PDB file of all heavy atoms in Angstrom:
ATOM      1  N   PRO L   1    -103.635-184.877  20.611  1.00 41.00           N
ATOM      2  CA  PRO L   1    -104.664-185.436  19.744  1.00 41.00           C
ATOM      3  C   PRO L   1    -104.415-186.920  19.569  1.00 41.00           C
ATOM      4  O   PRO L   1    -103.300-187.367  19.771  1.00 41.00           O
ATOM      5  CB  PRO L   1    -104.480-184.712  18.416  1.00 41.00           C
ATOM      6  CG  PRO L   1    -103.448-183.674  18.628  1.00 41.00           C
ATOM      7  CD  PRO L   1    -102.781-183.941  19.931  1.00 41.00           C
ATOM      8  N   PRO L   2    -105.330-187.704  19.182  1.00 38.00           N
ATOM      9  CA  PRO L   2    -106.672-187.281  18.858  1.00 38.00           C
ATOM     10  C   PRO L   2    -107.611-187.466  20.034  1.00 38.00           C
ATOM     11  O   PRO L   2    -107.335-188.246  20.929  1.00 38.00           O
ATOM     12  CB  PRO L   2    -107.049-188.236  17.739  1.00 38.00           C
ATOM     13  CG  PRO L   2    -106.374-189.507  18.142  1.00 38.00           C
ATOM     14  CD  PRO L   2    -105.075-189.092  18.789  1.00 38.00           C
ATOM     15  N   ARG L   3    -108.665-186.759  20.008  1.00 36.00           N
ATOM     16  CA  ARG L   3    -109.781-186.987  20.919  1.00 36.00           C
ATOM     17  C   ARG L   3    -110.834-187.709  20.111  1.00 36.00           C
ATOM     18  O   ARG L   3    -111.207-187.277  19.033  1.00 36.00           O
ATOM     19  CB  ARG L   3    -110.373-185.656  21.410  1.00 36.00           C
ATOM     20  CG  ARG L   3    -109.438-184.900  22.282  1.00 36.00           C
ATOM     21  CD  ARG L   3    -109.364-185.579  23.604  1.00 36.00           C
ATOM     22  NE  ARG L   3    -108.551-184.775  24.496  1.00 36.00           N
ATOM     23  CZ  ARG L   3    -108.237-185.170  25.695  1.00 36.00           C
ATOM     24  NH1 ARG L   3    -108.642-186.318  26.144  1.00 36.00           N
ATOM     25  NH2 ARG L   3    -107.499-184.421  26.458  1.00 36.00           N
ATOM     26  N   THR L   4    -111.302-188.817  20.605  1.00 35.00           N
ATOM     27  CA  THR L   4    -112.292-189.571  19.849  1.00 35.00           C
ATOM     28  C   THR L   4    -113.640-188.858  19.874  1.00 35.00           C
ATOM     29  O   THR L   4    -113.985-188.178  20.815  1.00 35.00           O
ATOM     30  CB  THR L   4    -112.430-191.001  20.392  1.00 35.00           C
ATOM     31  OG1 THR L   4    -113.341-191.701  19.558  1.00 35.00           O
ATOM     32  CG2 THR L   4    -112.922-191.049  21.810  1.00 35.00           C
ATOM     33  N   THR L   5    -114.382-189.015  18.806  1.00 36.00           N
ATOM     34  CA  THR L   5    -115.721-188.429  18.719  1.00 36.00           C
ATOM     35  C   THR L   5    -116.796-189.501  18.785  1.00 36.00           C
ATOM     36  O   THR L   5    -117.967-189.217  18.623  1.00 36.00           O
ATOM     37  CB  THR L   5    -115.881-187.656  17.395  1.00 36.00           C
ATOM     38  OG1 THR L   5    -115.622-188.558  16.313  1.00 36.00           O
ATOM     39  CG2 THR L   5    -114.934-186.475  17.328  1.00 36.00           C
ATOM     40  N   ALA L   6    -116.401-190.738  19.024  1.00 37.00           N
ATOM     41  CA  ALA L   6    -117.339-191.860  18.975  1.00 37.00           C
ATOM     42  C   ALA L   6    -118.420-191.780  20.032  1.00 37.00           C
ATOM     43  O   ALA L   6    -119.476-192.364  19.879  1.00 37.00           O
ATOM     44  CB  ALA L   6    -116.593-193.177  19.121  1.00 37.00           C
ATOM     45  N   LEU L   7    -118.207-191.042  21.113  1.00 35.00           N
ATOM     46  CA  LEU L   7    -119.168-191.059  22.207  1.00 35.00           C
ATOM     47  C   LEU L   7    -120.236-189.984  22.125  1.00 35.00           C
ATOM     48  O   LEU L   7    -120.992-189.813  23.053  1.00 35.00           O
ATOM     49  CB  LEU L   7    -118.437-190.910  23.538  1.00 35.00           C
ATOM     50  CG  LEU L   7    -117.922-192.211  24.098  1.00 35.00           C
ATOM     51  CD1 LEU L   7    -117.481-192.021  25.528  1.00 35.00           C
ATOM     52  CD2 LEU L   7    -118.928-193.314  24.022  1.00 35.00           C
ATOM     53  N   LYS L   8    -120.346-189.293  21.030  1.00 35.00           N
ATOM     54  CA  LYS L   8    -121.365-188.249  20.932  1.00 35.00           C
ATOM     55  C   LYS L   8    -122.770-188.789  21.204  1.00 35.00           C
ATOM     56  O   LYS L   8    -123.588-188.110  21.771  1.00 35.00           O
ATOM     57  CB  LYS L   8    -121.317-187.588  19.555  1.00 35.00           C
ATOM     58  CG  LYS L   8    -120.130-186.684  19.391  1.00 35.00           C
ATOM     59  CD  LYS L   8    -120.166-186.003  18.062  1.00 35.00           C
ATOM     60  CE  LYS L   8    -118.991-185.063  17.932  1.00 35.00           C
ATOM     61  NZ  LYS L   8    -118.927-184.423  16.645  1.00 35.00           N
ATOM     62  N   ASP L   9    -123.016-190.035  20.783  1.00 35.00           N
ATOM     63  CA  ASP L   9    -124.344-190.611  20.958  1.00 35.00           C
ATOM     64  C   ASP L   9    -124.426-191.606  22.107  1.00 35.00           C
ATOM     65  O   ASP L   9    -125.429-192.241  22.297  1.00 35.00           O
ATOM     66  CB  ASP L   9    -124.774-191.326  19.672  1.00 35.00           C
ATOM     67  CG  ASP L   9    -124.804-190.381  18.496  1.00 35.00           C
ATOM     68  OD1 ASP L   9    -125.155-189.201  18.703  1.00 35.00           O
ATOM     69  OD2 ASP L   9    -124.468-190.813  17.388  1.00 35.00           O
ATOM     70  N   LYS L  10    -123.354-191.737  22.864  1.00 35.00           N
ATOM     71  CA  LYS L  10    -123.332-192.711  23.956  1.00 35.00           C
ATOM     72  C   LYS L  10    -123.104-192.009  25.278  1.00 35.00           C
ATOM     73  O   LYS L  10    -122.577-190.921  25.340  1.00 35.00           O
ATOM     74  CB  LYS L  10    -122.201-193.723  23.734  1.00 35.00           C
ATOM     75  CG  LYS L  10    -122.351-194.526  22.460  1.00 35.00           C
ATOM     76  CD  LYS L  10    -121.186-195.464  22.308  1.00 35.00           C
ATOM     77  CE  LYS L  10    -121.260-196.216  20.990  1.00 35.00           C
ATOM     78  NZ  LYS L  10    -120.100-197.064  20.793  1.00 35.00           N
ATOM     79  N   GLU L  11    -123.480-192.685  26.346  1.00 38.00           N
ATOM     80  CA  GLU L  11    -123.244-192.149  27.683  1.00 38.00           C
ATOM     81  C   GLU L  11    -121.825-192.518  28.119  1.00 38.00           C
ATOM     82  O   GLU L  11    -121.437-193.674  28.117  1.00 38.00           O
ATOM     83  CB  GLU L  11    -124.262-192.755  28.645  1.00 38.00           C
ATOM     84  CG  GLU L  11    -124.167-192.197  30.037  1.00 38.00           C
ATOM     85  CD  GLU L  11    -125.260-192.767  30.923  1.00 38.00           C
ATOM     86  OE1 GLU L  11    -126.401-192.847  30.477  1.00 38.00           O
ATOM     87  OE2 GLU L  11    -124.929-193.128  32.056  1.00 38.00           O
ATOM     88  N   ALA L  12    -121.019-191.534  28.454  1.00 34.00           N
ATOM     89  CA  ALA L  12    -119.628-191.773  28.840  1.00 34.00           C
ATOM     90  C   ALA L  12    -119.528-192.152  30.309  1.00 34.00           C
ATOM     91  O   ALA L  12    -120.255-191.633  31.143  1.00 34.00           O
ATOM     92  CB  ALA L  12    -118.793-190.518  28.584  1.00 34.00           C
ATOM     93  N   THR L  13    -118.628-193.062  30.603  1.00 34.00           N
ATOM     94  CA  THR L  13    -118.306-193.411  31.975  1.00 34.00           C
ATOM     95  C   THR L  13    -117.254-192.418  32.443  1.00 34.00           C
ATOM     96  O   THR L  13    -116.272-192.206  31.748  1.00 34.00           O
ATOM     97  CB  THR L  13    -117.732-194.835  32.049  1.00 34.00           C
ATOM     98  OG1 THR L  13    -118.665-195.727  31.457  1.00 34.00           O
ATOM     99  CG2 THR L  13    -117.443-195.239  33.472  1.00 34.00           C
ATOM    100  N   PRO L  14    -117.434-191.793  33.600  1.00 37.00           N
ATOM    101  CA  PRO L  14    -116.430-190.824  34.043  1.00 37.00           C
ATOM    102  C   PRO L  14    -115.113-191.499  34.372  1.00 37.00           C
ATOM    103  O   PRO L  14    -115.067-192.690  34.663  1.00 37.00           O
ATOM    104  CB  PRO L  14    -117.064-190.216  35.301  1.00 37.00           C
ATOM    105  CG  PRO L  14    -118.058-191.224  35.759  1.00 37.00           C
ATOM    106  CD  PRO L  14    -118.528-191.958  34.539  1.00 37.00           C
ATOM    107  N   ALA L  15    -114.035-190.715  34.308  1.00 33.00           N
ATOM    108  CA  ALA L  15    -112.715-191.230  34.686  1.00 33.00           C
ATOM    109  C   ALA L  15    -112.751-191.610  36.158  1.00 33.00           C
ATOM    110  O   ALA L  15    -113.544-191.081  36.928  1.00 33.00           O
ATOM    111  CB  ALA L  15    -111.661-190.160  34.434  1.00 33.00           C
ATOM    112  N   PRO L  16    -111.901-192.543  36.568  1.00 34.00           N
ATOM    113  CA  PRO L  16    -111.861-192.929  37.979  1.00 34.00           C
ATOM    114  C   PRO L  16    -111.653-191.717  38.880  1.00 34.00           C
ATOM    115  O   PRO L  16    -110.958-190.771  38.518  1.00 34.00           O
ATOM    116  CB  PRO L  16    -110.660-193.876  38.043  1.00 34.00           C
ATOM    117  CG  PRO L  16    -110.496-194.390  36.654  1.00 34.00           C
ATOM    118  CD  PRO L  16    -110.959-193.279  35.756  1.00 34.00           C
ATOM    119  N   ALA L  17    -112.243-191.774  40.062  1.00 37.00           N
ATOM    120  CA  ALA L  17    -112.213-190.629  40.980  1.00 37.00           C
ATOM    121  C   ALA L  17    -110.798-190.187  41.338  1.00 37.00           C
ATOM    122  O   ALA L  17    -110.541-189.000  41.477  1.00 37.00           O
ATOM    123  CB  ALA L  17    -112.986-190.973  42.245  1.00 37.00           C
ATOM    124  N   PHE L  18    -109.850-191.144  41.473  1.00 33.00           N
ATOM    125  CA  PHE L  18    -108.508-190.754  41.875  1.00 33.00           C
ATOM    126  C   PHE L  18    -107.815-189.893  40.822  1.00 33.00           C
ATOM    127  O   PHE L  18    -106.826-189.253  41.089  1.00 33.00           O
ATOM    128  CB  PHE L  18    -107.654-191.973  42.211  1.00 33.00           C
ATOM    129  CG  PHE L  18    -107.202-192.775  41.016  1.00 33.00           C
ATOM    130  CD1 PHE L  18    -106.006-192.478  40.382  1.00 33.00           C
ATOM    131  CD2 PHE L  18    -107.962-193.828  40.544  1.00 33.00           C
ATOM    132  CE1 PHE L  18    -105.585-193.218  39.287  1.00 33.00           C
ATOM    133  CE2 PHE L  18    -107.551-194.566  39.460  1.00 33.00           C
ATOM    134  CZ  PHE L  18    -106.359-194.265  38.827  1.00 33.00           C
ATOM    135  N   LEU L  19    -108.357-189.880  39.599  1.00 33.00           N
ATOM    136  CA  LEU L  19    -107.762-189.058  38.548  1.00 33.00           C
ATOM    137  C   LEU L  19    -108.331-187.649  38.535  1.00 33.00           C
ATOM    138  O   LEU L  19    -107.831-186.801  37.808  1.00 33.00           O
ATOM    139  CB  LEU L  19    -107.990-189.696  37.178  1.00 33.00           C
ATOM    140  CG  LEU L  19    -107.292-191.022  36.948  1.00 33.00           C
ATOM    141  CD1 LEU L  19    -107.677-191.581  35.588  1.00 33.00           C
ATOM    142  CD2 LEU L  19    -105.794-190.879  37.058  1.00 33.00           C
ATOM    143  N   GLY L  20    -109.367-187.414  39.288  1.00 38.00           N
ATOM    144  CA  GLY L  20    -109.963-186.086  39.308  1.00 38.00           C
ATOM    145  C   GLY L  20    -110.471-185.646  37.953  1.00 38.00           C
ATOM    146  O   GLY L  20    -110.417-184.482  37.601  1.00 38.00           O
ATOM    147  N   GLY L  21    -110.971-186.590  37.147  1.00 43.00           N
ATOM    148  CA  GLY L  21    -111.511-186.265  35.839  1.00 43.00           C
ATOM    149  C   GLY L  21    -110.463-186.205  34.743  1.00 43.00           C
ATOM    150  O   GLY L  21    -110.784-185.986  33.597  1.00 43.00           O
ATOM    151  N   ALA L  22    -109.207-186.382  35.065  1.00 47.00           N
ATOM    152  CA  ALA L  22    -108.147-186.346  34.055  1.00 47.00           C
ATOM    153  C   ALA L  22    -108.005-187.720  33.421  1.00 47.00           C
ATOM    154  O   ALA L  22    -108.495-188.701  33.935  1.00 47.00           O
ATOM    155  CB  ALA L  22    -106.831-185.937  34.707  1.00 47.00           C
ATOM    156  N   GLU L  23    -107.300-187.767  32.311  1.00 72.00           N
ATOM    157  CA  GLU L  23    -107.057-189.049  31.677  1.00 72.00           C
ATOM    158  C   GLU L  23    -105.743-189.633  32.174  1.00 72.00           C
ATOM    159  O   GLU L  23    -104.863-188.921  32.630  1.00 72.00           O
ATOM    160  CB  GLU L  23    -107.037-188.907  30.165  1.00 72.00           C
ATOM    161  CG  GLU L  23    -105.833-188.214  29.634  1.00 72.00           C
ATOM    162  CD  GLU L  23    -105.867-188.070  28.127  1.00 72.00           C
ATOM    163  OE1 GLU L  23    -106.941-188.188  27.524  1.00 72.00           O
ATOM    164  OE2 GLU L  23    -104.799-187.835  27.577  1.00 72.00           O
ATOM    165  N   SER L  24    -105.637-190.945  32.083  1.00 88.00           N
ATOM    166  CA  SER L  24    -104.403-191.641  32.398  1.00 88.00           C
ATOM    167  C   SER L  24    -103.731-191.980  31.083  1.00 88.00           C
ATOM    168  O   SER L  24    -104.400-192.374  30.134  1.00 88.00           O
ATOM    169  CB  SER L  24    -104.704-192.938  33.145  1.00 88.00           C
ATOM    170  OG  SER L  24    -105.302-192.661  34.371  1.00 88.00           O
ATOM    171  N   SER L  25    -102.419-191.838  31.018  1.00 89.00           N
ATOM    172  CA  SER L  25    -101.746-192.141  29.764  1.00 89.00           C
ATOM    173  C   SER L  25    -100.347-192.681  29.990  1.00 89.00           C
ATOM    174  O   SER L  25     -99.726-192.436  31.019  1.00 89.00           O
ATOM    175  CB  SER L  25    -101.687-190.901  28.880  1.00 89.00           C
ATOM    176  OG  SER L  25    -100.859-189.914  29.451  1.00 89.00           O
ATOM    177  N   LEU L  26     -99.893-193.414  29.002  1.00 89.00           N
ATOM    178  CA  LEU L  26     -98.541-193.934  28.952  1.00 89.00           C
ATOM    179  C   LEU L  26     -97.983-193.521  27.601  1.00 89.00           C
ATOM    180  O   LEU L  26     -98.615-193.773  26.574  1.00 89.00           O
ATOM    181  CB  LEU L  26     -98.552-195.455  29.077  1.00 89.00           C
ATOM    182  CG  LEU L  26     -97.208-196.122  28.815  1.00 89.00           C
ATOM    183  CD1 LEU L  26     -96.659-196.648  30.129  1.00 89.00           C
ATOM    184  CD2 LEU L  26     -97.369-197.247  27.843  1.00 89.00           C
ATOM    185  N   THR L  27     -96.840-192.875  27.591  1.00 89.00           N
ATOM    186  CA  THR L  27     -96.187-192.455  26.364  1.00 89.00           C
ATOM    187  C   THR L  27     -94.870-193.207  26.266  1.00 89.00           C
ATOM    188  O   THR L  27     -94.166-193.344  27.259  1.00 89.00           O
ATOM    189  CB  THR L  27     -95.923-190.934  26.388  1.00 89.00           C
ATOM    190  OG1 THR L  27     -97.161-190.261  26.607  1.00 89.00           O
ATOM    191  CG2 THR L  27     -95.329-190.459  25.081  1.00 89.00           C
ATOM    192  N   PHE L  28     -94.557-193.697  25.082  1.00 88.00           N
ATOM    193  CA  PHE L  28     -93.320-194.441  24.910  1.00 88.00           C
ATOM    194  C   PHE L  28     -92.630-194.069  23.606  1.00 88.00           C
ATOM    195  O   PHE L  28     -93.249-193.538  22.688  1.00 88.00           O
ATOM    196  CB  PHE L  28     -93.562-195.956  24.968  1.00 88.00           C
ATOM    197  CG  PHE L  28     -94.489-196.477  23.896  1.00 88.00           C
ATOM    198  CD1 PHE L  28     -93.991-196.887  22.663  1.00 88.00           C
ATOM    199  CD2 PHE L  28     -95.845-196.563  24.125  1.00 88.00           C
ATOM    200  CE1 PHE L  28     -94.846-197.373  21.677  1.00 88.00           C
ATOM    201  CE2 PHE L  28     -96.709-197.049  23.155  1.00 88.00           C
ATOM    202  CZ  PHE L  28     -96.200-197.453  21.922  1.00 88.00           C
ATOM    203  N   SER L  29     -91.336-194.339  23.563  1.00 87.00           N
ATOM    204  CA  SER L  29     -90.522-194.106  22.375  1.00 87.00           C
ATOM    205  C   SER L  29     -89.588-195.286  22.215  1.00 87.00           C
ATOM    206  O   SER L  29     -88.981-195.741  23.188  1.00 87.00           O
ATOM    207  CB  SER L  29     -89.715-192.811  22.547  1.00 87.00           C
ATOM    208  OG  SER L  29     -88.819-192.638  21.475  1.00 87.00           O
ATOM    209  N   VAL L  30     -89.487-195.804  21.000  1.00 86.00           N
ATOM    210  CA  VAL L  30     -88.612-196.923  20.700  1.00 86.00           C
ATOM    211  C   VAL L  30     -87.582-196.434  19.691  1.00 86.00           C
ATOM    212  O   VAL L  30     -87.940-195.861  18.667  1.00 86.00           O
ATOM    213  CB  VAL L  30     -89.398-198.123  20.130  1.00 86.00           C
ATOM    214  CG1 VAL L  30     -88.473-199.277  19.810  1.00 86.00           C
ATOM    215  CG2 VAL L  30     -90.491-198.557  21.093  1.00 86.00           C
ATOM    216  N   GLY L  31     -86.318-196.670  19.982  1.00 85.00           N
ATOM    217  CA  GLY L  31     -85.227-196.169  19.153  1.00 85.00           C
ATOM    218  C   GLY L  31     -85.117-196.821  17.786  1.00 85.00           C
ATOM    219  O   GLY L  31     -85.744-197.848  17.513  1.00 85.00           O
ATOM    220  N   PRO L  32     -84.279-196.244  16.943  1.00 85.00           N
ATOM    221  CA  PRO L  32     -84.153-196.691  15.551  1.00 85.00           C
ATOM    222  C   PRO L  32     -83.486-198.054  15.389  1.00 85.00           C
ATOM    223  O   PRO L  32     -83.667-198.712  14.377  1.00 85.00           O
ATOM    224  CB  PRO L  32     -83.309-195.597  14.900  1.00 85.00           C
ATOM    225  CG  PRO L  32     -82.547-194.982  16.011  1.00 85.00           C
ATOM    226  CD  PRO L  32     -83.437-195.091  17.228  1.00 85.00           C
ATOM    227  N   ASP L  33     -82.737-198.495  16.386  1.00 87.00           N
ATOM    228  CA  ASP L  33     -82.014-199.756  16.276  1.00 87.00           C
ATOM    229  C   ASP L  33     -82.847-200.969  16.689  1.00 87.00           C
ATOM    230  O   ASP L  33     -82.366-202.094  16.676  1.00 87.00           O
ATOM    231  CB  ASP L  33     -80.738-199.702  17.118  1.00 87.00           C
ATOM    232  CG  ASP L  33     -81.022-199.384  18.577  1.00 87.00           C
ATOM    233  OD1 ASP L  33     -82.056-198.748  18.855  1.00 87.00           O
ATOM    234  OD2 ASP L  33     -80.210-199.766  19.442  1.00 87.00           O
ATOM    235  N   VAL L  34     -84.098-200.759  17.010  1.00 88.00           N
ATOM    236  CA  VAL L  34     -84.967-201.831  17.500  1.00 88.00           C
ATOM    237  C   VAL L  34     -85.790-202.400  16.333  1.00 88.00           C
ATOM    238  O   VAL L  34     -86.405-201.653  15.574  1.00 88.00           O
ATOM    239  CB  VAL L  34     -85.903-201.296  18.608  1.00 88.00           C
ATOM    240  CG1 VAL L  34     -86.844-202.374  19.091  1.00 88.00           C
ATOM    241  CG2 VAL L  34     -85.078-200.747  19.759  1.00 88.00           C
ATOM    242  N   SER L  35     -85.802-203.718  16.211  1.00 89.00           N
ATOM    243  CA  SER L  35     -86.558-204.382  15.143  1.00 89.00           C
ATOM    244  C   SER L  35     -88.060-204.234  15.392  1.00 89.00           C
ATOM    245  O   SER L  35     -88.486-204.000  16.534  1.00 89.00           O
ATOM    246  CB  SER L  35     -86.197-205.865  15.086  1.00 89.00           C
ATOM    247  OG  SER L  35     -86.757-206.552  16.203  1.00 89.00           O
ATOM    248  N   PRO L  36     -88.880-204.403  14.342  1.00 89.00           N
ATOM    249  CA  PRO L  36     -90.341-204.350  14.547  1.00 89.00           C
ATOM    250  C   PRO L  36     -90.837-205.345  15.597  1.00 89.00           C
ATOM    251  O   PRO L  36     -91.694-205.014  16.411  1.00 89.00           O
ATOM    252  CB  PRO L  36     -90.906-204.661  13.157  1.00 89.00           C
ATOM    253  CG  PRO L  36     -89.857-204.137  12.221  1.00 89.00           C
ATOM    254  CD  PRO L  36     -88.549-204.469  12.909  1.00 89.00           C
ATOM    255  N   VAL L  37     -90.291-206.552  15.620  1.00 92.00           N
ATOM    256  CA  VAL L  37     -90.724-207.553  16.600  1.00 92.00           C
ATOM    257  C   VAL L  37     -90.373-207.100  18.009  1.00 92.00           C
ATOM    258  O   VAL L  37     -91.198-207.174  18.931  1.00 92.00           O
ATOM    259  CB  VAL L  37     -90.110-208.941  16.289  1.00 92.00           C
ATOM    260  CG1 VAL L  37     -90.364-209.919  17.424  1.00 92.00           C
ATOM    261  CG2 VAL L  37     -90.656-209.480  14.983  1.00 92.00           C
ATOM    262  N   ALA L  38     -89.152-206.607  18.197  1.00 91.00           N
ATOM    263  CA  ALA L  38     -88.740-206.124  19.519  1.00 91.00           C
ATOM    264  C   ALA L  38     -89.545-204.893  19.918  1.00 91.00           C
ATOM    265  O   ALA L  38     -89.890-204.735  21.102  1.00 91.00           O
ATOM    266  CB  ALA L  38     -87.244-205.815  19.531  1.00 91.00           C
TER     267      ALA L  38
END
């Protein structure tokens, strides 16, 4: 989650063909010893 609901009234652009309709994502984790700026 979340899945946005903003496009209910808009025409969606399909995901790029190389993704086969899937979404692209990047997930990251920053450790506890890292400052907000870093």
Side-chain angles (χ1 to χ4, degrees):
R3 293 287 185 185
T4 184
T5 57
L7 275 192
K8 287 183 178 177
D9 301 325
K10 299 179 184 176
E11 184 176 316
T13 304
F18 74 90
L19 294 176
E23 72 181 18
S24 296
S25 67
L26 171 109
T27 304
F28 61 89
S29 174
V30 179
D33 57 334
V34 178
S35 72
V37 170

